[in-house]
Structure formats: C-alpha cells, structure tokens
Amino acid sequence: MNTGLIPVRYARALLDFANLSGLQDKVYSEAKSVTESYFKFGELRTVLDNPVLGKADKRKIMILAAGDKVSKPFEKFIDLLLENNRESHLLSIALKYIDLFRSQKNIHYGKLTTASPVNAVTEKRLMAMVENTTGGTIEMDKIIDPEILGGFMFEVDFVRWDASISGQLRRIRKEYIEKNNKIV
C-alpha cells in the first residue's frame, strides 16, 4: 500500500471515531502531544521501528508519547496500529489528523516571530484581525528571535507577512544589487 495513503485513511478513521465518541478535541490534543514527543525525542521513531521490542512495550511508549492519560478512541487507535503493524506511521497519522481536525473546525495555524516579547493587547488585536479575515479561529505559536532586529514576521497557514527590520534590509540590499547590475 502507498505510504501516503496509510496516514490519510487512518487519520480519517480516527477523526470519524473521535467525532462519534464526542472526544475529537481530546484526541486532537493527544495527536499534538504525539507530534511534540517525536520532535523532542528523535529516538522515538527508532524505538517504534525496532522489531525486537514487543507490542505491549510499544503500546506503553505510544500512550506515553500521547500524554500518558489517553482517551478511549486514541487507545483503541493505538491498538489498531499495533494489530496491523502500522506503528511506524504514528507521526504521519497524527499530523494528518491535526490537519483534518483543523480543517473541520476552521482553525488556522499561525506563527508570530518578534525580536522581543509582544504584549497581550497587540497579540489579541493581531489574532482578531486574522480571525475576522479568515472567518475561523487561529492557533498561534509565538517565537522570540533577536536576529530579526525588530518588527515582526507573521505566518498564517501558507501566507507570510515580513515586517521585520532584517527583512527590510534584505529587500534594500537586493534592490541595490539589482540597480548596480543595471549600471554596469
């Protein structure tokens, strides 16, 4: 089977089952915990791919990666993955579930990068502006990066606004180089 189809099928099934159980929000937070665990602990993939490790141990590890206390739908989902030897697809299924859930709930993902912390009022105004424009809600990660020198960079889904000083300096440099190349 195509490895691109496996995550889609399992994630759709998990979303449908979670919707029927009324626990789609809980499963969403568990899927986010799984993805965070993969990024924090790079060896998690290696451990789950290890054929020597028993299914009971893999089950414990997968539940721990999802936040230790998991919902019944997620627990049954883990059992299904182990039964079908699909535990190596856990990350891609969790990522696809997150995408499907956000699409279903009209949730947009945003990332705000600033040189210094932003006050709550500014953050709320920015989120309200995006929510009014998109008609949905927004989940936003805040990143402090002193290398942008000032201003901000804001990404929502796949659209990026760069109002940083470093971005402005890059654009000025590019224009200057282009003008000088025309002169020569």
Side-chain angles (χ1 to χ4, degrees):
M1 180 181 263
N2 183 344
T3 57
L5 292 175
I6 293 170
V8 173
R9 288 181 179 169
Y10 276 83
R12 280 191 185 137
L14 178 59
L15 183 63
D16 290 344
F17 187 53
N19 285 338
L20 286 173
S21 303
L23 296 169
Q24 63 271 22
D25 294 334
K26 175 78 169 129
V27 174
Y28 175 65
S29 67
E30 292 163 350
K32 286 175 46 175
S33 292
V34 166
T35 60
E36 290 170 10
S37 294
Y38 265 91
F39 294 118
K40 283 182 186 174
F41 309 106
E43 58 276 352
L44 183 58
R45 178 183 308 274
T46 308
V47 169
L48 290 177
D49 287 344
N50 185 347
V52 176
L53 193 62
K55 290 189 182 214
D57 292 330
K58 287 183 180 183
R59 184 179 191 277
K60 288 178 190 174
I61 291 169
M62 292 166 80
I63 288 174
L64 188 62
D68 201 21
K69 301 276 187 194
V70 296
S71 62
K72 282 290 181 192
F74 202 81
E75 191 174 344
K76 289 184 181 210
F77 163 70
I78 289 173
D79 292 338
L80 181 67
L81 286 181
L82 290 168
E83 180 182 321
N84 294 322
N85 296 317
R86 301 286 193 209
E87 59 271 11
S88 63
H89 296 281
L90 179 62
L91 175 62
S92 52
I93 294 169
L95 289 170
K96 190 62 185 173
Y97 179 88
I98 291 169
D99 287 344
L100 293 172
F101 180 86
R102 284 179 177 164
S103 177
Q104 178 184 4
K105 299 283 188 175
N106 196 17
I107 299 172
H108 301 276
Y109 173 74
K111 184 167 71 170
L112 176 65
T113 307
T114 58
S116 60
V118 176
N119 64 27
V121 174
T122 304
E123 183 181 322
K124 286 181 183 177
R125 279 188 21 219
L126 189 58
M127 289 177 69
M129 179 187 70
V130 172
E131 288 173 353
N132 288 336
T133 303
T134 62
T137 58
I138 185 164
E139 283 184 4
M140 188 165 60
D141 286 338
K142 296 172 284 260
I143 299 169
I144 309 283
D145 183 7
E147 290 188 19
I148 68 168
L149 303 176
F152 67 91
M153 291 189 301
F154 188 54
E155 298 175 48
V156 176
D157 295 329
F158 298 106
V159 178
R160 182 177 185 180
W161 295 276
D162 186 351
S164 66
I165 293 176
S166 62
Q168 291 174 4
L169 290 172
R170 261 192 316 276
R171 287 188 292 278
I172 291 170
R173 181 176 184 261
K174 181 180 174 187
E175 287 175 19
Y176 181 74
I177 290 171
E178 287 174 2
K179 285 182 181 181
N180 278 339
N181 287 338
K182 288 180 184 178
I183 293 173
V184 175

